[in-house]
């Protein structure tokens, strides 16, 4: 009779072939994490279908490398293939306990780093309508989300951009981080990030419980909303996200409800503004009516004051004008006196100059020369200076002091 044993180990490999499952088991040292024992295990197809279905239904994920498991096994030795354990059952509660322990360890590290609550310190934009979606293009949850967003009852318009990622299995962490990096390069194009995934109870959610993925989401500058369809329990990704809902449609409803709240707030604000403005208008009307009754009296008072002020200013200007006129008249008198003196001096100087010129002119007068016995001979009305120009028969006139003498040249 072969005895069964319960053993605890970590899977380093888990693969199916022809309905059988082949596993590689390892035991590691708790302090150094170095493998200290290895073994192979097999689960024949006669048991594997039932065991796998039950495990995935309870644990909420598939068996994969790196998972801690508790197996019910019995030893088998084959002459050709050697020793191996034959698996007859797997305890999913043990794996759930180990997953919970790992999850607690990740949460502890995130809190030590001070990033666990960073997403919840962000503020969802008032009009969060530009959505970056991380999902698989073929996932039913992606289609449900888009349908819910595009056909909302309020007619809100959203802009959605898909960043494709693997949403189950061992590539979840790397794929989602890559999508987040792509979104970060276009950070100004989006208001919010939504990580969504639909699926059944056998889905593998282990990829959402990793420290690197949690750190990336926690430090992301935009609010991240998760709706990855994990009904059983929240994963670490849900814990660090800005908001976590169970399904993609719930994520869509979350964003729609946010805009509904904004719409309600704006409508209330509009009512408050309208009422406030209405009251202010009524108040101002009363003030205007009061002032309108005071205007005639105030105008009369203002008019009297202004007339008095204008009269005072006119008298002041008139006084200044008279003073200025007197000052300018005095200046004009002085200028006139200076002009008279200057003109008199000029006239006297010019008279002296004329007398001097007249004296000189008198000294050059030909009549004065004639008194001394000199004469002047003219021919044709011009003084004769050269006798060679005379011809026989020419008439000349000689002027002396007492008269003229006419002569004919022979």
């Amino acid at each position: 009779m072969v005895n069964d044993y319960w053993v605890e180990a970590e899977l380093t490999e888990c693969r199916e072939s022809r309905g059988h499952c082949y596993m590689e088991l390892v035991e590691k040292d708790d302090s150094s994490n170095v493998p200290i024992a290895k073994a192979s295990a097999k689960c024949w197809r006669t048991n594997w279908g039932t065991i796998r279905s039950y495990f995935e239904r309870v644990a909420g994920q598939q068996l994969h490398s790196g998972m801690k498991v508790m197996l019910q096994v019995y030893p088998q030795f084959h002459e050709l293939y050697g020793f191996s354990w034959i698996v007859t059952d797997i305890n999913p509660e043990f794996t759930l306990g180990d997953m919970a322990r790992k999850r607690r360890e990740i949460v502890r590290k995130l809190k030590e780093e001070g990033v666990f609550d960073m997403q919840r310190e962000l503020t969802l934009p008032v009009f969060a309508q530009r959505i970056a979606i991380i999902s698989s293009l073929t996932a039913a949850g992606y289609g449900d989300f888009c349908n819910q967003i595009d056909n909302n009852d309020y007619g809100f318009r959203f802009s959605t951009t898909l960043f494709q990622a693997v949403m189950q299995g061992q590539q979840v962490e790397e794929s989602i981080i890559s999508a987040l990096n792509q979104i970060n390069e276009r950070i100004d194009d989006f208001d919010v990030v939504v990580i969504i995934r639909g699926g059944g109870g056998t889905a593998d959610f282990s990829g959402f419980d990793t420290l690197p993925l949690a750190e990336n989401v926690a430090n992301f500058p935009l609010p991240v909303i998760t709706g990855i369809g994990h009904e059983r329990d929240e994963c670490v990704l849900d814990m660090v996200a800005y908001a976590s809902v169970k399904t993609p449609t719930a994520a869509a409803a979350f964003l729609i409800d946010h805009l509904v709240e904004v719409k309600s707030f704006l409508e209330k604000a509009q009512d408050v503004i309208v009422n406030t403005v209405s009251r202010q208008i009524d108040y101002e009307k009363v003030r205007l009516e009061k002032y309108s009754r005071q205007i005639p009296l105030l105008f009369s008072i203002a008019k009297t004051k202004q007339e008095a002020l204008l009269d005072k200013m006119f008298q002041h200007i008139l006084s200044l004008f008279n003073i200025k006129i007197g000052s300018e008249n005095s200046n004009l008198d002085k200028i006139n006196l200076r002009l008279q003196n200057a003109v008199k001096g000029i006239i006297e100087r010019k008279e002296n100059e004329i007398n001097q010129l007249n004296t000189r002119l008198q000294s050059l007068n030909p009549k004065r020369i004639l008194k001394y016995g000199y004469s002047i001979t003219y021919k044709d009305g011009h003084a004769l200076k050269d006798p060679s120009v005379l011809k026989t028969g020419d008439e000349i006139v000689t002027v002396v002091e007492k008269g003229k003498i006419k002569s004919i040249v022979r």
Side-chain angles (χ1 to χ4, degrees), residues 19-30:
H20 309 299
C21 181
Y22 298 90
M23 309 174 195
E24 295 295 329
L25 310 178
V26 66
E27 180 182 356
K28 295 180 179 179
D29 183 81
D30 292 337

Side-chain angles (χ1 to χ4, degrees), residues 222-272:
L222 293 180
V224 177
I225 300 172
T226 59
I228 56 178
H230 199 176
E231 295 289 347
R232 176 185 302 278
D233 194 7
E234 66 176 351
C235 59
V236 176
L237 188 62
D238 293 326
M239 296 179 187
V240 298
Y242 173 83
S244 171
V245 294
K246 293 299 182 183
T247 62
T249 53
F254 180 90
L255 293 173
I256 294 169
D257 290 343
H258 173 70
L259 283 188
V260 171
E261 291 178 3
V262 172
K263 180 175 180 290
S264 176
F265 172 80
L266 292 177
E267 289 174 346
K268 291 178 181 178
Q270 179 181 351
D271 292 339
V272 170

